[in-house]
Amino acid sequence: SLGTLIGGSWSWAWGINSDGSVTVGHANDSAAQKQLRAFRWTAEKGMESLGTLNGGSEGCARGVSADGSVIVGEANDGHAQDKERAFRWTAEKGM
């Protein structure tokens, strides 16, 4: 089991890098409405939320580069219409 985000009750994996050290997906969090958050999992740090796109409500990581440094997926954009947008995540730049 990869576990869950703090306060969450489930998680779903969608991708894994070439050596198996990084797994990505989405999980619910501890927010009152249990929002979906994109996550990155490593043995060293466990499950970590990737945050939100412009303060949007939900996200899902779908793929990860071979070395685990770049993650892609979709997330709500945080604007009035809260539309789904593709994202690219790196540790340096975030979403």
Side-chain angles (χ1 to χ4, degrees):
S1 173
L2 299 180
T4 61
L5 292 172
I6 295 173
S9 58
W10 60 268
S11 60
W12 193 281
W14 285 99
I16 190 166
N17 75 327
S18 63
D19 68 4
S21 64
V22 178
T23 302
V24 299
H26 69 278
N28 65 344
D29 68 4
S30 61
Q33 295 187 5
K34 300 278 188 181
Q35 299 296 326
L36 300 180
R37 299 286 183 237
F39 74 78
R40 177 180 192 260
W41 179 94
T42 64
E44 179 183 322
K45 294 186 176 182
M47 190 175 290
E48 299 176 287
S49 172
L50 299 182
T52 62
L53 187 61
N54 300 321
S57 60
E58 298 187 341
C60 180
R62 300 280 187 175
V64 59
S65 63
D67 68 359
S69 66
V70 178
I71 297 169
V72 296
E74 78 267 354
N76 291 0
D77 66 6
H79 298 291
Q81 293 83 16
D82 217 18
K83 294 183 179 180
E84 292 286 319
R85 301 285 185 225
F87 74 79
R88 178 182 187 270
W89 178 94
T90 66
E92 298 78 33
K93 302 270 184 175
M95 262 189 210

